Amino acid sequence: MKPFEKKVWLATPTMHGDELAYIKEAYETNWMSTVGKNINEAERIVAEMIGVQHAVALSSGTAALHLSMKLASIKPGDKVFCSDMTFAATVNPIVYEGGLPVFIDGEYDTWNMDPASLEKAFELYPDVKTVVVANLYGTPAKLDEIRAICDAHGASLIEDAAESLGATYKGKQTGTFGDYNVISFNGNKIITGSSGGMLLTDDIDVANRVRKWSTQSRENAPWYQHEELGYNYRMSNVIAGVVRGQLPYLAEHIAQKKAIYERYREGFKDLPVTMNPFTADTMEPNYWLSCLLIDKDAMCKQVRSDNEAAYIKEAGKSCPTEILETLASYNAEGRPIWKPMHMQPIFRMHPFVMADGDGRCRTNAYIDCGKADSVNADIFHRGLCLPSDNKMTETEQTQVIEIVKSCF
Ligand SMILES: *Cc1c(COP(=O)(O)O)cnc(C)c1O
């Protein structure tokens, strides 16, 4: 096999032409700031598509998460339960407000926050009032169960649907299950504005507060009058033009991503691996990234320090490090699973809760817990994300499958 001449990417933006027309319209009418028709239309279309009353366009998903923390009234020292195996942007905004993230282990059915571990966390910390759940790689978490646990404990739920735009759970769009919901238009998401994000809510007062905070919190006065802390978090009308142009293609992108996922599943059916899972009777993912998990007894020896990885090659077995290095040698881009937050040096002193045992682990699950690995450490150890770009051709994907096979 020869290396790919054109790099095969994990996920890149897919433009259609309408984006440029809307950018041009903003330019020609001189609506080049943070007000204009593109913003209004992008907000209207998203609210209608997702089935929420209000969508507020912001500069990023991270900004939307930050304002969600303010809406949830996180105060310095407040503990907040959150997904552990996710992009750091799910968690950092808790810390911006002085909150203390408490990481919750995952489950094997969807790779998301484990409801049993969340329940355990409320036993350990009954006073916690906020939960942040992410839908990993476009697969919804067990959102009904998580919502019910939050309700039972009087906690508000922030749904980080940054990766799951267009995915449904029990027939309902993700980004509607939280009290505050977040989507992202970052450059490698399924729909992109090059950057950008939105906060979704059914509450008009919430939407109004977010609009105000995101534009420096001006009061109604003849001059710049301020009673509250403000932020420069509003989406630009140029970016909104890209988003507005992309939105009609969400279903098409999902269909392409689904085809990629299914070809991988078929291609790997004789290998000791499984694809990132979902529960077909309750959910339809958006298939943002296709990932695989190597069976425990098919793992060759792999060790990871903070900055490096090494493995020992073994016939019939493989490991994420070997597959990622081999893909790279053929000019194809894969990625490790998000390294769990409880294993990150910056968060090592934060509590981490697992459903079994005493449910509590204060540092890295491998080193200090003295008990079985957490679900998340295990998925990080055995899993990886495959090239999932919707412009990848079938021929290219067939070669990716052959490359992965050659590692075993
Ligand atoms: C991309 C992403 C975000 C952040 O979105 P930005 O728009 O890049 O700020 C938050 N959470 C998750 C899970 C993400 O994947």
Side-chain angles (χ1 to χ4, degrees):
M1 277 187 291
K2 288 205 294 276
F4 294 107
E5 264 171 46
K6 215 172 91 228
K7 183 160 180 173
V8 176
W9 297 95
L10 186 80
T12 62
T14 304
M15 294 295 130
H16 300 275
D18 314 2
E19 299 88 348
L20 196 57
Y22 290 127
I23 294 175
K24 201 155 165 255
E25 187 181 306
Y27 181 91
E28 284 169 352
T29 56
N30 205 35
W31 289 97
M32 293 295 283
S33 75
T34 50
V35 279
K37 190 168 171 196
N38 287 334
I39 297 176
N40 300 342
E41 279 301 289
E43 289 184 340
R44 185 188 63 77
I45 295 165
V46 167
E48 196 179 290
M49 243 171 51
I50 304 304
V52 288
Q53 293 297 315
H54 309 280
V56 184
L58 300 170
S59 54
S60 68
T62 308
L65 279 157
H66 186 188
L67 298 185
S68 298
M69 301 309 156
K70 293 181 64 78
L71 288 163
S73 304
I74 309 291
K75 298 283 176 301
D78 286 353
K79 288 189 172 63
V80 175
F81 296 150
C82 64
S83 290
D84 170 59
M85 194 168 70
T86 180
F87 186 40
T90 308
V91 177
N92 288 337
I94 298 170
V95 184
Y96 299 167
E97 288 303 302
L100 301 172
V102 172
F103 302 113
I104 311 297
D105 199 15
E107 36 81 0
Y108 286 109
D109 298 335
T110 74
W111 292 7
N112 286 302
M113 181 187 280
D114 174 30
S117 298
L118 179 62
E119 189 65 68
K120 182 85 192 178
F122 275 111
E123 274 172 41
L124 296 167
Y125 307 103
D127 297 336
V128 169
K129 286 287 164 252
T130 312
V131 175
V132 187
V133 65
N135 302 313
L136 203 75
Y137 301 134
T139 301
K142 296 180 177 177
L143 291 165
D144 267 7
E145 288 174 58
I146 288 168
R147 180 80 246 184
I149 295 167
C150 291
D151 291 346
H153 294 276
S156 40
L157 179 65
I158 297 171
E159 188 190 353
D160 178 354
E163 300 180 0
S164 66
L165 185 63
T168 56
Y169 180 81
K170 297 190 178 169
K172 219 174 129 193
Q173 290 282 327
T174 59
T176 60
F177 289 85
D179 298 276
Y180 317 112
N181 308 281
V182 170
I183 59 175
S184 164
F185 302 113
N186 161 317
N188 71 3
K189 299 284 159 41
I190 197 154
I191 286 292
T192 184
S194 74
S195 65
M198 285 189 187
L199 189 142
L200 313 181
T201 175
D202 284 332
D203 185 336
I204 179 86
D205 293 330
V206 166
N208 286 339
R209 289 167 84 193
V210 170
R211 286 206 169 88
K212 179 184 173 192
W213 290 341
S214 70
T215 50
Q216 304 289 18
S217 296
R218 288 177 63 182
E219 299 300 328
N220 197 4
W223 44 79
Y224 280 74
Q225 177 84 4
H226 302 287
E227 293 174 9
E228 291 183 287
L229 199 56
Y231 299 84
N232 181 7
Y233 277 175
R234 191 73 165 134
M235 183 184 279
S236 131
N237 194 48
V238 179
I239 298 290
V242 185
V243 174
R244 185 182 171 195
Q246 286 263 289
L247 286 169
Y249 296 92
L250 176 59
E252 184 181 312
H253 289 189
I254 293 175
Q256 290 163 336
K257 296 271 192 186
K258 182 175 182 175
I260 290 169
Y261 180 93
E262 286 179 344
R263 281 200 292 266
Y264 277 133
R265 194 169 52 189
E266 180 63 22
F268 296 141
K269 68 176 189 302
D270 297 326
L271 288 185
V273 303
T274 48
M275 299 292 296
N276 45 333
F278 59 94
T279 53
D281 55 333
T282 56
M283 60 180 69
E284 177 71 11
N286 72 2
Y287 304 92
W288 175 52
L289 292 187
S290 285
C291 308
L292 59 78
L293 188 69
I294 300 170
D295 292 355
K296 277 189 178 141
D297 52 14
M299 277 286 292
C300 62
K301 194 169 163 54
Q302 166 187 264
V303 289
R304 283 166 163 168
S305 71
D306 270 350
N307 304 298
E308 287 175 309
Y311 66 94
I312 298 169
K313 175 118 198 85
E314 207 179 321
K317 298 188 176 187
S318 192
C319 60
T321 303
E322 178 179 18
I323 295 174
L324 291 169
E325 286 181 4
T326 310
L327 282 169
S329 75
Y330 282 98
N331 203 21
E333 184 189 30
R335 191 160 71 186
I337 299 297
W338 297 128
K339 183 172 178 174
M341 291 300 124
H342 83 272
M343 298 169 74
Q344 301 285 359
I346 184 178
F347 294 125
R348 70 187 178 284
M349 298 311 286
H350 287 249
F352 170 62
V353 179
M354 299 188 256
D356 63 357
D358 70 355
R360 213 181 318 207
C361 168
R362 293 215 164 263
T363 61
N364 186 319
Y366 277 123
I367 297 163
D368 289 302
C369 287
K371 61 182 166 223
D373 287 349
S374 62
V375 172
N376 288 351
D378 180 43
I379 295 173
F380 174 63
H381 185 61
R382 295 193 285 127
L384 70 137
C385 302
L386 296 159
S388 308
D389 194 38
N390 38 348
K391 293 169 298 309
M392 177 168 59
T393 65
E394 250 188 272
T395 317
E396 287 168 330
Q397 195 180 355
T398 305
Q399 183 170 339
V400 171
I401 291 168
E402 289 310 311
I403 293 166
V404 172
K405 281 185 179 168
S406 76
C407 294
F408 284 88

